[in-house]
């Protein structure tokens, strides 16, 4: 049986809530990706060209320092990785996270939280940033996602890993 870890980055609590639901359905642990400098509501103000998210969007190679680390990374085979979608891509902290580990022979299942935006280029970036064995097609999940829809996403993602 594959060992799964649900990793997530959340600024407003939406991604955290979805990650916990996914972990409860799977019966696995979660890992919160915590930035050294937490994001405030002003930092995620997309209308402000000087907000932290806007500045990071202009410099996608800017690493965002992470406070914590997965101590037993090698024990896991599959990683569900959740994040809000910013400017039609993953936040820089996700890029930093992906570059921090060796995903050789690992599977990544991305899920993003957004009320309307899709995954944008984030799946392509995940493939470029890692040497993962497989990057399973991800899913946009709203805060109103039903448990049956989450179960379908999880089952189809894990079944594609087994094949």
């Amino acid at each position: 049986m594959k060992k799964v870890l649900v990793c997530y980055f959340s600024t407003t609590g939406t991604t955290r809530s979805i990650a916990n639901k996914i972990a409860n359905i799977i019966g696995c642990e979660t890992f919160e990706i915590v930035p050294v400098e937490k994001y405030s509501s002003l930092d995620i103000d997309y209308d402000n060209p000087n907000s932290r998210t806007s500045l990071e969007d202009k410099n996608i190679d800017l690493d965002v320092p992470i406070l914590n680390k997965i101590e037993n990374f090698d024990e896991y085979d599959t990683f569900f990785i959740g994040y809000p979608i910013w400017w039609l891509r993953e936040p820089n902290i996700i890029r930093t996270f992906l570059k921090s580990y060796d995903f050789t022979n690992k599977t990544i299942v991305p899920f993003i939280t957004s009320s309307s935006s899709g995954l944008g280029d984030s799946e392509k970036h995940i493939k470029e940033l890692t040497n993962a064995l497989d990057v399973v097609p991800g899913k946009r999940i709203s805060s109103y996602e039903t448990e049956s829809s989450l179960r379908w996403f999880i089952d189809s993602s894990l079944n594609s890993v087994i094949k």
Side-chain angles (χ1 to χ4, degrees), residues 9 33-39 52 63-68 93 96:
F9 166 66
I33 302 165
V34 179
V36 168
E37 181 184 341
K38 297 216 180 214
Y39 288 81
R52 194 166 160 196
D63 282 334
V64 175
I66 298 173
L67 185 65
N68 53 347
I93 193 168
T96 303

Side-chain angles (χ1 to χ4, degrees), residues 3-151:
K3 190 163 181 189
V4 179
L5 182 64
V6 176
C7 305
Y8 67 92
F9 166 66
S10 186
T11 55
T12 64
T14 302
T15 308
R16 177 184 297 111
S17 174
I18 297 298
N20 286 327
K21 288 177 185 178
I22 291 172
N24 285 337
I25 291 169
I26 296 172
C28 69
E29 295 179 6
T30 62
F31 175 80
E32 182 175 9
I33 302 165
V34 179
V36 168
E37 181 184 341
K38 297 216 180 214
Y39 288 81
S40 70
S41 58
L42 295 174
D43 290 331
I44 59 172
D45 180 358
Y46 305 107
D47 294 326
N48 179 353
N50 294 314
S51 72
R52 194 166 160 196
T53 56
S54 297
L55 295 174
E56 287 179 15
D57 179 55
K58 293 175 184 144
N59 184 1
I60 66 169
D61 293 322
L62 177 70
D63 282 334
V64 175
I66 298 173
L67 185 65
N68 53 347
K69 183 178 180 169
I70 302 170
E71 296 300 327
N72 51 348
F73 177 83
D74 291 335
E75 293 178 14
Y76 298 98
D77 305 293
T78 303
F79 297 83
F80 280 73
I81 300 177
Y83 47 92
I85 202 79
W86 292 352
W87 304 106
L88 297 175
R89 68 172 183 82
E90 69 291 341
N92 284 24
I93 193 168
I94 294 298
R95 297 174 68 80
T96 303
F97 173 78
L98 293 170
K99 293 186 290 184
S100 300
Y101 297 95
D102 181 3
F103 285 93
T104 302
N105 297 320
K106 310 284 185 183
T107 297
I108 298 173
V109 182
F111 64 95
I112 62 114
T113 53
S114 171
S115 58
S116 60
S117 298
L119 276 83
D121 288 334
S122 64
E123 281 183 4
K124 179 181 85 167
H125 294 157
I126 289 170
K127 289 176 184 176
E128 291 170 356
L129 290 167
T130 69
N131 51 352
L133 175 67
D134 193 14
V135 177
V136 175
K139 178 175 175 52
R140 178 187 64 83
I141 301 175
S142 76
S143 59
Y144 304 106
E145 201 78 28
T146 65
E147 184 175 330
S148 63
S149 176
L150 285 176
R151 284 185 184 280

